Amino acid sequence: MMEKENMIKTKRIQDCVCGIIGAALFEQPLPSVREEDWPAIYHEFISQRIIANPANLLDKFSIPDECRKMWDSSIRNTELFTLKLLVNQSILVRLLDNHSIPYAILKGSSSAIYYPEPVHRSMGDVDLIVRPGDFERVEQLMLSAGFVKTNDNHRHANFVYNHISFELHRVFSHELGGNFLDRLVFNQLEYTRKVSVCGFSFSMLSSVANGIVMIEHISHHLQGGVGLRHMIDWFMYVKKELTDEKWPAFRSISDQLGLTTLSKAITRLGQLYFGLDSSILW
């Protein structure tokens, strides 16, 4: 009996989490939430690193005072860290721009740009990629500017600057698509676009290339478990960018990487459980 009750509660918590995300990001109705469920819901948002996503609608819920205080504090911490990361990312961006070095910021702020409130997208580190011929030059520029190198592997070199982690990528691919995916990313460095998040500008890949990077990242995390943050990044990208009209251009690449089925499956999950636009037919 106890096991059954726990399963029922877990399902109820999951439904509430999906409902809150849908209300926050996809204009869905507010879900009904039991007062005793809020601590478990808060914990789920924390563990999935999506704690600030519903910041603008929490006042519409009757949340126990202790839980609300913890949630408000967590949101402020998320906002402060996001802004701190963007400030330090801009230092590197200026360094690269001043030396006319093509680059692209991957994930992170290149995902946040699709959110209604980019500052509420939890950040981890700064991922950037440059052309292979520029890698050593950029590495030396970063070292000269005070970035401290902490690690190096076949994919990227790790640096720390003002307690923010940076990954300077040699390649982006993990194993899927390998050379094809990396050639795509390197070629797109000639066609990056300048965008701005919270007043901080940077260069990112084209719409299609950025989407391919995002879905490949999800594919990689299938091995250890895809988090809601990965999925929500994808949902927001689809909402803003991947219309039925743009789908053929995306699919021409995703087919070659074996990512088309995954792209469809994750998108359908968004439609069924989170409120992603059901008029997307691809």
Side-chain angles (χ1 to χ4, degrees), residues 165-177:
S165 297
F166 291 78
E167 292 184 357
L168 173 62
H169 282 258
R170 292 184 173 86
V171 295
F172 173 73
S173 64
H174 295 87
E175 60 282 324
L176 182 65

Side-chain angles (χ1 to χ4, degrees), residues 97-114:
D97 286 344
N98 288 342
H99 289 83
S100 300
I101 298 174
Y103 72 92
I105 299 294
L106 307 173
K107 304 179 290 181
S109 47
S110 289
S111 297
I113 192 171
Y114 302 121

Side-chain angles (χ1 to χ4, degrees), residues 88-137:
N88 286 279
Q89 176 179 288
S90 69
I91 293 172
L92 178 57
V93 164
R94 285 197 299 271
L95 181 67
L96 298 172
D97 286 344
N98 288 342
H99 289 83
S100 300
I101 298 174
Y103 72 92
I105 299 294
L106 307 173
K107 304 179 290 181
S109 47
S110 289
S111 297
I113 192 171
Y114 302 121
Y115 284 67
E117 297 284 350
V119 72
H120 291 154
R121 196 272 187 183
S122 296
M123 299 288 191
D125 53 19
V126 177
D127 291 81
L128 72 148
I129 194 163
V130 297
R131 298 176 301 193
D134 289 329
F135 183 90
E136 291 185 3
R137 182 186 178 200

